[in-house]
Amino acid sequence: MISTDGARIFQNPGPWTLPTAQAWERLRRYATRVREVVFHDDSSPFDQDVLPELIGHLAEAHPHETVLPNLQNLCWKTNDRRTLDHVLSFCPPTLERISLIIRGWDVPKVLVEQLVCSLSTLPNLFKALEVDIRIYDAETPAMAVALETFIRSQPGLLELRLPRYPIQDHANVLAACRTASQLHTFSGRTTCLTKDEYREVLGMVAKDCPSLRHLMLNRWCNRLDEVVDAADLAPLFDCPFLEHITLWFNAGLELDDQGIRRMGCAWINLETLILQTEGFKTTPMSCLVAFAESFPVLQRLESPFDRSDGLPSMNEVTVRFRSLRKLVLIGDWIQVDEMPSVAEFLARVCSPEVRVNISLLCIPYYDTSLEEEMVLNKGGSDDQTRAIRHWMSIFHRAQEGLGQSE
């Protein structure tokens, strides 16, 4: 169950057995060497019947101390209230990063609130916190207060991820970020906010998190006609250090060349830009030229694009992405007769080093690690991707031939 340096401390016991005395002694010998634990209970009989009891015995065996005294990173994924009760037994003073992923309809939200409150009383100076709550009716005033209290107790917090927690009482939660002046990663979700309220949230993020480098924010709203544009994103232009941005909207997103250039002037260090929407309004594909002009260090771009207004003539495309390595086009199916013209345009703005993917679905991100690959290309079309890459390679070879002849 717990391993270190490749050595297994506990073998998986039988359905109703507990570890032997020798196994407990082995745990005590190895405990000081463990730096990271990922706990995950699932729906298997072992997880449902044995694991909660085993965790309980671990906690009871260390009534006045933590189980792993030198632990630094803890990821606790649970859908069982019995294991939630023992999280604090795995929180030694050395713990720097904690991730709580809580799911299950039978987990009382009051337990989650109490746990977050208890974390605030620990002497630890955390660098990273994730609270991913997937239980019914979790967005309560008490939870907002608990999160606010915890954040205020952590002036050295660098990463804060609340990927599924709907930020409705955003004023309290985000204002608490002023304490963590060095916060460089923030992930959250807003619900039922008007465009004005959404801009207010972005303004608070920019004001309270001046060192922000990674931002992931999902916006759910009731009015699907509230299309977001560059003016709505303008508050984030005051975050000059941003390197990775992921924004998701269930309404539309419509950018033009002027708005994209404003974004490029503000985010000069941007390496990843992921813009997703389920709305009908999307950015014209011709705006890829403005992206190429405005983002010199951009390595990854994902966005839905609209081809209904056509593509610029090839003579008008005089710029190419300088650093881009991955381009994901989210949107409608590219018809067979359209494929050559789309590929020729893409071959103009993208070098042969750019890997182009076509994804037909827009799925909101609930990512738990911005350092890991975020796109699983769910809903991606392998046939479309292979076809567009094939046609682009033809045009790239043609461009090389023209260059050599000159």
Side-chain angles (χ1 to χ4, degrees), residues 344-392:
E344 184 179 14
F345 170 67
L346 293 176
R348 284 276 187 170
V349 294
C350 300
S351 69
E353 288 75 25
V354 179
R355 291 185 62 81
V356 176
N357 287 72
I358 296 177
S359 180
L360 304 182
L361 295 180
C362 178
I363 298 175
Y365 286 117
Y366 297 115
D367 179 66
T368 58
S369 175
L370 290 174
E371 289 75 22
E372 297 177 357
E373 180 74 5
M374 288 188 293
V375 166
L376 301 178
N377 202 28
K378 295 179 180 178
S381 171
D382 292 338
D383 291 340
Q384 291 264 292
T385 296
R386 282 194 295 267
I388 200 72
R389 289 178 180 176
H390 170 72
W391 277 105
M392 287 180 65

Side-chain angles (χ1 to χ4, degrees), residues 102-370:
I102 303 165
R103 65 196 71 171
W105 298 104
D106 60 339
V107 178
K109 57 189 176 185
V110 65
L111 288 183
V112 182
E113 296 164 0
Q114 291 173 354
L115 176 58
V116 176
C117 287
S118 297
L119 291 174
S120 304
T121 66
L122 297 177
N124 303 59
L125 292 178
F126 287 99
K127 295 180 179 179
L129 168 70
E130 176 182 21
V131 180
D132 189 352
I133 307 171
R134 312 178 195 182
I135 61 178
Y136 176 70
D137 196 25
E139 57 274 20
T140 64
M143 178 60 73
V145 171
L147 286 171
E148 177 191 2
T149 302
F150 177 83
I151 297 169
R152 290 187 186 279
S153 71
Q154 298 297 322
L157 199 65
L158 300 177
E159 303 173 20
L160 176 61
R161 294 186 172 95
L162 311 171
R164 291 180 189 262
Y165 179 73
I167 303 174
Q168 292 179 327
D169 195 2
H170 54 273
N172 287 339
V173 174
L174 292 177
C177 294
R178 296 174 187 169
T179 305
S181 59
Q182 299 303 309
L183 194 73
H184 64 62
T185 298
F186 180 77
S187 171
R189 172 187 174 193
T190 65
T191 59
C192 304
L193 301 184
T194 65
K195 285 180 64 172
D196 289 340
E197 292 170 332
Y198 182 69
R199 284 193 292 267
E200 180 185 350
V201 168
L202 298 186
M204 294 182 69
V205 169
K207 179 182 178 181
D208 299 332
C209 310
S211 302
L212 203 65
R213 285 171 169 77
H214 301 252
L215 174 65
M216 179 182 296
L217 198 60
N218 291 350
R219 179 190 183 233
W220 290 85
C221 66
N222 294 326
R223 295 191 56 181
L224 299 182
D225 60 338
E226 288 195 335
V227 178
V228 174
D229 56 25
D232 299 313
L233 304 180
L236 289 179
F237 295 168
D238 293 330
C239 295
F241 303 112
L242 279 169
E243 298 174 358
H244 304 274
I245 298 176
T246 298
L247 301 175
W248 185 92
F249 314 92
N250 70 323
L253 169 68
E254 190 171 26
L255 302 175
D256 57 20
D257 290 349
Q258 181 180 1
I260 292 169
R261 293 189 181 101
R262 290 183 62 198
M263 293 160 59
C265 290
W267 303 326
I268 59 176
N269 299 310
L270 200 65
E271 299 177 6
T272 301
L273 179 60
I274 300 174
L275 303 170
Q276 295 194 329
T277 176
E278 288 185 347
F280 294 104
K281 285 285 188 178
T282 56
T283 302
M285 183 170 280
S286 59
C287 287
L288 277 173
V289 177
F291 276 113
E293 291 174 341
S294 307
F295 291 92
V297 299
L298 190 66
Q299 299 178 21
R300 178 178 184 157
L301 174 63
E302 293 187 36
S303 180
F305 290 101
D306 178 23
R307 303 186 307 279
S308 61
D309 291 336
L311 298 173
S313 67
M314 295 305 103
N315 292 333
E316 297 174 341
V317 183
T318 58
V319 67
R320 173 176 278 183
F321 283 103
R322 281 170 271 183
S323 305
L324 197 68
R325 290 298 176 264
K326 185 166 187 178
L327 173 64
V328 179
L329 306 176
I330 306 170
D332 296 330
W333 186 273
I334 302 177
Q335 301 296 332
V336 174
D337 58 347
E338 293 181 284
M339 191 68 71
S341 61
V342 173
E344 184 179 14
F345 170 67
L346 293 176
R348 284 276 187 170
V349 294
C350 300
S351 69
E353 288 75 25
V354 179
R355 291 185 62 81
V356 176
N357 287 72
I358 296 177
S359 180
L360 304 182
L361 295 180
C362 178
I363 298 175
Y365 286 117
Y366 297 115
D367 179 66
T368 58
S369 175
L370 290 174

